[in-house]
Structures are given as structure tokens and as C-alpha cells.
Amino acid sequence: MTGFEIHARQRAVSKELVDKFRRVPVANVSDCMSRMTAGGARLRPMHDGTPLAGPALTVRTRPGDNLLVHKALSLAQPGDVIVVDAGGDLTNAIIGEIMTTYAESRGIAGIIINGAIRDCGTIRRSAFPVYAAGVTHRGPYKDGPGEINCVVALDGMTIAPGDLILGDDDGLLAVPYEQAQAIFEAAAAKHDVETKMLADIAAGTLDTSWVDARLRALGCTGV
């Protein structure tokens, strides 16, 4: 039935590449993707802030229903990030303490809910990464429909199964599978540059001459 299907994931970013990305802040990766991609400001870390990285196992579900999310928990491989598009609706929670505890026990890297969660106090104290748009005590339904391993979009950020998902205190980012290696190389180089800038600030040697040069190039007078 269309809209009520479980698909097989065809590819996923490697563990080696996921581990490389862990040392790079999401902001550096975003800069190297032309600052055009984001999961939306509503999707915030609900846990203790531990960074998130792993290949996406995607779920699209009817708002307020988590039947397909339960199935995704059993299908996910260790290191996967379950990405749930529940329509952004905050009426009913999609997951809570039981499901996050089960996910962590299976080695899942984290869960993203474009919707609401509950048991937020427990989740807030946990290192298991959970991102969501809001909180409500009202529980979910378990009727479907939904899909697993389909393309989803969170606030315009398209995520295909197996794409790399990154998250930290600044928010979420999806890196396309085909571009992940090239984006890592660019982001790592940018991170190295910014690390040196911080060292220069500490030493009092930061060169800020580029500011005046930029102003003159843009025609600013009085520089």
C-alpha cells in the first residue's frame, strides 16, 4: 500500500567516515555546504548535549502515531540514527523513556523526531542523543500508516536513507552520502583554520586587516 511500506536501505556512510566527522563542529560542516542546509531551529537537543553522528534510517509517520518507529527500532543497526518525520505536530509524543532506553540498549546512535517527545526530564539527563521539536505528556497512537527508509524532509533539509546525520548544540545537519568524503575534507580544513584563529586570539596576534579590506572592496567610505 502506498504510504504504508517498509523499504530496504541500499547504502549508508561508513563507520570510518562517521568517526572522522565526530571531531568537526556542525557549524564548520554547514559552512562548507554553502550555509544552505539545516534541520530547522525547532529541532533542539533534548538530551545532555552529547554530539550525534551516524547514518540515517528514515521514518515518515502520521502525526501522533509511532507504530513505524517501533519497527524502525528493531530494524536499525548499531550506530544508526533514526530520523522520524512526524509532520512537526506537537499534539502527541512519538517517543519517551521506554523507547529511548531500548534504542540505546541496541547501540542506536540517536533519534530525531520532527514532532514531540515525553519523559523529557529523564531524557535531558541522558547522554543518548535525542532531538525533537517539543514536549507533551500525551502519548502516541499505534495504527500507522507510515514508511521506513524513504526520503524525508525536515524544514527543507532532505534526508535519504544512509545519508550522514550530524548534531550538536547548534542543531542538525544531513550530509548527502555521495558528497560526504569531500565535505569532510573541506570541513576539517576549516576547523583547523578556526583552531589556529583561537590560538592567535589567545596570543594577541589575530590579524583582522581583512575587515577593512572587505569594507573598501564593498565601497564603504570612512574606513
Side-chain angles (χ1 to χ4, degrees):
M1 179 188 299
T2 300
F4 206 173
E5 302 175 88
I6 298 172
H7 309 280
R9 188 171 65 184
Q10 301 301 316
R11 81 288 194 274
V13 291
S14 69
K15 181 181 183 302
E16 292 73 21
L17 191 54
V18 171
D19 289 341
K20 288 180 180 179
F21 268 95
R22 291 187 191 280
R23 77 174 184 90
V24 184
V26 169
N28 289 157
V29 182
S30 178
D31 286 349
C32 295
M33 295 175 67
S34 300
R35 303 178 174 95
M36 291 293 290
T37 301
R42 289 204 313 158
L43 293 174
R44 305 306 306 159
M46 298 291 178
H47 60 295
D48 71 356
T50 298
L52 169 67
L57 189 156
T58 59
V59 181
R60 180 188 296 120
T61 186
R62 180 172 64 86
D65 193 287
N66 75 354
L67 177 61
L68 271 294
V69 183
H70 279 279
K71 181 61 177 177
L73 289 177
S74 66
L75 291 176
Q77 299 298 307
D80 282 349
V81 176
I82 297 179
V83 182
V84 182
D85 181 6
D89 183 78
L90 304 181
T91 306
N92 298 83
I94 299 297
I95 63 168
E97 180 182 6
I98 298 297
M99 294 178 74
T100 57
T101 301
Y102 178 58
E104 186 173 16
S105 77
R106 299 203 64 246
I108 292 169
I111 303 178
I112 297 166
I113 304 292
N114 185 21
I117 65 165
R118 65 180 180 179
D119 303 323
C120 67
T122 300
I123 291 172
R124 187 184 307 116
R125 294 186 293 272
S126 171
F128 180 73
V130 175
Y131 289 75
V135 176
T136 179
H137 55 78
R138 296 176 64 177
Y141 300 100
K142 295 174 173 59
D143 303 306
E147 290 185 80
I148 294 176
N149 284 324
C150 56
V151 176
V152 298
L154 307 183
D155 201 25
M157 182 175 73
T158 301
I159 305 168
D163 285 352
L164 175 65
I165 301 297
L166 301 173
D168 62 16
D169 287 334
D170 286 339
L172 293 163
L173 181 62
V175 179
Y177 171 86
E178 298 83 358
Q179 302 172 33
Q181 180 61 44
I183 290 173
F184 166 73
E185 292 170 3
K190 181 171 180 58
H191 182 50
D192 289 344
V193 169
E194 293 194 358
T195 299
K196 183 180 183 305
M197 290 175 67
L198 289 170
D200 289 343
I201 291 171
T205 59
L206 182 67
D207 181 6
T208 61
S209 61
W210 69 269
V211 178
D212 285 352
R214 179 65 171 159
L215 288 169
R216 291 188 186 100
L218 291 171
C220 180
T221 60
V223 178

